[in-house]
Every structure is written in structure tokens, then in C-alpha cells.
């Protein structure tokens, strides 16, 4: 491996960045001829586009048959795992933040979010595939969706004026209110932003660490470093699998928390 | 003069790395405190484990968010 012109930081960033080339030691596809137009806007098919499509197909292929089989008791080990995840998300996340009544309506959304992000994260860990959730545009889009969703849902359930008024805590004197209101608006935007940055940074950082550890061998021009870096990289890879589950869970948890607290506003 | 400029560039990158490290220190202290407090309260009241775990994750995620902001700023300003 040669790193002639780029700095190592740029090389690292390029490793997780979106692009038109799908490269591996065995193949190299140029994706740039693939594009389509809808209403005059050109959509390019990039690497992340492919990976998101793969995640969607995986979710559909695995989860729809799992939900079709109406056994009272899950029989296989896999069905047990899915059912435990679904029950955990419903009882510990959705019901807790939405309340019993709204939970029926919001559980499918929370489950979709969780399994989609989980699929994206885990696809990124398969060698030669690419991590779409390590791209800030992908996670940013999801965070903007959550931002719009909790504002619209707050207005839907509380009425527009009452929602906007209750953004800042009530019963404050006017000068205090003038100070608090912009701060609450900023915190509203920034908590959606951290939602995007958290997922992106965690997934990208996992790849960076594995890549840098293995890159030590190239950097030091010696395979002896492999004795040190390969076991560490394997350990970090195991940790990344845990992080993939944890970040999918945290994204779902926090979006449900934001939506729930916009619906059940404190007055 | 070019020498000075290139030195300033590497200084900036080094400072960005120091900033990223400092943010890691802050997040480490914060998440460590949260984990310690959650373990203590779980040991005292094991029946509250589920609720405490959820609150622990929320608090840890918020702390992490602040330090991730710092790390993104470090990436942006690394020059």
C-alpha cells in the first residue's frame, strides 16, 4: 500500500466517504453511469445509495416473513431474538415515552427506525461493503425527518399556538422569557443535530480505528506489527458490532423521547 | 516565509488533535460518572434496573453529543 500524495487523515476519510467507485481487491465497479431523472432532478446512484437499498431489501426479506408466521410461541432461535427485540422496544422505549394509548400507533415507526439503522450499521461491518450510516448526509436526513416529525406531531396534538408557546417553560416574567425562548429553539435544533452526528461519528470512528490499527503494518513497513494490531483490530471489530446495536437503540430511544416530549408537553 | 506557513499548518492540525483528545477526556469523565452512579443505584435497587438503564443511556448519549460536537469541530479546523 502506498500513500504518496495524500495525508493520512485524508486517506482515512476517503476510506469511509461516499463515492462513485465500489472498490475491493477483487472487483472495481464504476457507478457513475448509473443515474436517473425525476422531474428534471438528476439522482446519481452512489455507493451509499446501493447500501441503503441493500439494507431495505434485507429488512423486507427477513422481517416480513418473520411477521407473517403467526405462531403463538416463537419456535426458532432467530424468531426468539426478533421477538425479544420487538418486545423490548415496545415496552421499554415506546410505551415509556408515548404512553399506553399512543404506543400502538408509534411502535411500527420505532421498529422500522431501529431495524433500518441496525441493517445499515451491520452492512458496514461486512468486508467490502460500505457503511452508509458512516455518512453524515444519510444520518442528517434521518435527523431532519425526526426534527420535522416531532414539531409536526407537537402541533398536531397540542394545537399550533399552544405548542409554540409551551416550547419555553410557562409562568416566567417577560425579560426571562425573551432570553429563554431563543435558547430553547437552539437546543431544539442542536439536539436533532447531535442525533445525526452521534450515529455518524460512532460508525465512522469504528471504521477509522480498525483501519488505523491494520494500517500500522503498512506505516511501519513490517508484518511483525500484525502480531500487535490484528488481535486489537479483531477486538475493536467485536466492539463495533456491539456499538452497531447500541447506536441503533440510542437513535430510536432519543427520537421517541423527542417525539414523546413534544406530544406530552409540560405546561 | 513558506516554511513558517507550513509550520503553522501542522501546528493547527496538532492543536486540533489536542482538542479532540481534551473532548475525549471530558466525555470520559462524564460517562464514567454516569456509569458509576447507575451501577450504584442498580446495586441498591435491582428491581429498578430497566428504568435506570434507559435513563443512563439517555444521559450518556447527551454527554457524548457534546464531545462529538467538539470532535467534529476538530475535524473541520484541522486545516
Amino acid at each position: 500500500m502506498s500513500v504518496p500524495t495524500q495525508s493520512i487523515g485524508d486517506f482515512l476519510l476517503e476510506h469511509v466517504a461516499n463515492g462513485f467507485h465500489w472498490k475491493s481487491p477483487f472487483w472495481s465497479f464504476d457507478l457513475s453511469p448509473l443515474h436517473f431523472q425525476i422531474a428534471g432532478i438528476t439522482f446519481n446512484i452512489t455507493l451509499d445509495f446501493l447500501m441503503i437499498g441493500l439494507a431495505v431489501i434485507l429488512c423486507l426479506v427477513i422481517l416480513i416473513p418473520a411477521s407473517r408466521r403467526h405462531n403463538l410461541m416463537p419456535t426458532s432461535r432467530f424468531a426468539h431474538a426478533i421477538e425479544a427485540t420487538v418486545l423490548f422496544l415496545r415496552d421499554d422505549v415506546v410505551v415509556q415515552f408515548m404512553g399506553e394509548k399512543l404506543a400502538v400507533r408509534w411502535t411500527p415507526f420505532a421498529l422500522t427506525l431501529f431495524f433500518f439503522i441496525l441493517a445499515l450499521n451491520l452492512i458496514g461491518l461486512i468486508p467490502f461493503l460500505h457503511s452508509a450510516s458512516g455518512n453524515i448526509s444519510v444520518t442528517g436526513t434521518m435527523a431532519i425527518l425526526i426534527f420535522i416529525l416531532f414539531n409536526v406531531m407537537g402541533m398536531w396534538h397540542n394545537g399550533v399556538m399552544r405548542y409554540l408557546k409551551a416550547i419555553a417553560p410557562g409562568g416566567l416574567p417577560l425579560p426571562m422569557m425573551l432570553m429563554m425562548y431563543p435558547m430553547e429553539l437552539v437546543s431544539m435544533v442542536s439536539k436533532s443535530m447531535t442525533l445525526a452526528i452521534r450515529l455518524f461519528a460512532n460508525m465512522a470512528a469504528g471504521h477509522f480505528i480498525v483501519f488505523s490499527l491494520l494500517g500500522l503494518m503498512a506505516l511501519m513497513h513490517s508484518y511483525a506489527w500484525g502480531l500487535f494490531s490484528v488481535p486489537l483490530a479483531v477486538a475493536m471489530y467485536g466492539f463495533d458490532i456491539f456499538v452497531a446495536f447500541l447506536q441503533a437503540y440510542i437513535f430510536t430511544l432519543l427520537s421517541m423521547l423527542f417525539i414523546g416530549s413534544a406530544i406530552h408537553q409540560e405546561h | 516565509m513558506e516554511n513558517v506557513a507550513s509550520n503553522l499548518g501542522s501546528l493547527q492540525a496538532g492543536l486540533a488533535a489536542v482538542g479532540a483528545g481534551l473532548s475525549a477526556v471530558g466525555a470520559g469523565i462524564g460517562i464514567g460518572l454516569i456509569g458509576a452512579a447507575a451501577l450504584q443505584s442498580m446495586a441498591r435497587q435491582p428491581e429498578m434496573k430497566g428504568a435506570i438503564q434507559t435513563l443512563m443511556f439517555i444521559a450518556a448519549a447527551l454527554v457524548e453529543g457534546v464531545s462529538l460536537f467538539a470532535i467534529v469541530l476538530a475535524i473541520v479546523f484541522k486545516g
Side-chain angles (χ1 to χ4, degrees):
Chain A
M1 192 172 8
S2 63
V3 195
T5 52
Q6 293 165 306
S7 76
I8 291 183
D10 291 338
F11 198 65
L12 269 178
L13 280 177
E14 201 189 286
H15 172 67
V16 295
N18 194 10
F20 288 115
H21 293 278
W22 185 8
K23 281 180 283 190
S24 85
F26 306 112
W27 64 78
S28 172
F29 294 128
D30 186 12
L31 302 171
S32 52
L34 301 171
H35 54 78
F36 56 93
Q37 283 194 333
I38 296 174
I41 305 168
T42 310
F43 290 88
N44 285 308
I45 293 187
T46 59
L47 199 48
D48 283 348
F49 190 104
L50 282 184
M51 293 306 141
I52 291 171
L54 187 60
V56 170
I57 290 169
L58 267 182
C59 285
L60 292 179
V61 165
I62 292 175
L63 294 175
I64 286 183
S67 69
R68 280 276 173 270
R69 236 173 283 154
H70 288 290
N71 290 345
L72 202 57
M73 287 288 289
T75 44
S76 67
R77 196 177 286 183
F78 183 68
H80 269 293
I82 299 263
E83 180 170 308
T85 318
V86 168
L87 281 182
F88 172 71
L89 281 176
R90 193 190 68 188
D91 296 340
D92 278 12
V93 177
V94 187
V95 170
Q96 199 179 344
F97 296 127
M98 295 289 173
E100 291 279 348
K101 231 173 72 191
L102 286 172
V104 181
R105 202 182 293 167
W106 283 97
T107 307
F109 178 69
L111 291 174
T112 310
L113 209 56
F114 177 79
F115 282 111
F116 176 61
I117 297 173
L118 184 63
L120 285 184
N121 293 351
L122 289 180
I123 280 174
L125 289 176
I126 299 171
F128 311 136
L129 296 185
H130 196 256
S131 172
S133 50
N135 180 347
I136 187 104
S137 312
V138 175
T139 61
T141 313
M142 288 194 282
I144 289 171
L145 174 76
I146 300 297
F147 179 75
I148 294 171
L149 200 57
F150 77 72
N151 279 309
V152 169
M153 281 300 136
M155 290 175 192
W156 179 275
H157 282 269
N158 301 315
V160 177
M161 286 323 287
R162 265 179 67 197
Y163 173 71
L164 290 178
K165 230 174 96 182
I167 285 175
L172 290 174
L174 188 66
M176 201 60 188
M177 197 72 175
L178 284 178
M179 223 165 68
M180 282 296 284
Y181 204 84
M183 265 167 66
E184 292 291 333
L185 285 182
V186 168
S187 94
M188 209 158 96
V189 175
S190 76
K191 73 188 182 188
S192 314
M193 249 162 78
T194 46
L195 205 59
I197 295 175
R198 177 177 306 113
L199 183 57
F200 149 73
N202 271 290
M203 296 325 292
H207 290 264
F208 285 164
I209 294 172
V210 172
F211 191 83
S212 325
L213 281 173
L214 294 179
L216 272 180
M217 281 189 284
L219 208 64
M220 304 295 180
H221 299 291
S222 143
Y223 283 115
W225 275 89
L227 292 176
F228 164 75
S229 64
V230 170
L232 265 182
V234 170
M236 279 314 298
Y237 188 88
F239 183 67
D240 280 351
I241 296 175
F242 167 70
V243 167
F245 280 89
L246 184 71
Q247 290 306 319
Y249 166 62
I250 283 181
F251 196 99
T252 316
L253 177 88
L254 287 179
S255 17
M256 285 299 125
L257 171 70
F258 296 159
I259 296 170
S261 60
I263 290 175
H264 308 289
Q265 267 185 326
E266 291 166 25
H267 299 289
Chain B
M1 223 36 196
E2 296 107 53
N3 209 354
V4 172
S6 70
N7 277 341
L8 274 181
S10 64
L11 180 69
Q12 195 180 5
L15 281 176
V18 170
L22 283 178
S23 79
V25 169
I29 293 173
I31 294 177
L33 286 177
I34 292 163
L39 274 181
Q40 257 178 8
S41 46
M42 273 185 223
R44 286 186 187 175
Q45 282 184 306
E47 69 274 10
M48 291 294 290
K49 190 167 173 260
I52 292 170
Q53 227 163 26
T54 313
L55 290 174
M56 179 185 82
F57 278 129
I58 293 174
L62 292 177
V63 170
E64 203 186 29
V66 176
S67 85
L68 287 177
F69 260 132
I71 286 179
V72 167
L73 282 183
I75 291 176
V76 169
F77 288 112
K78 84 177 178 359

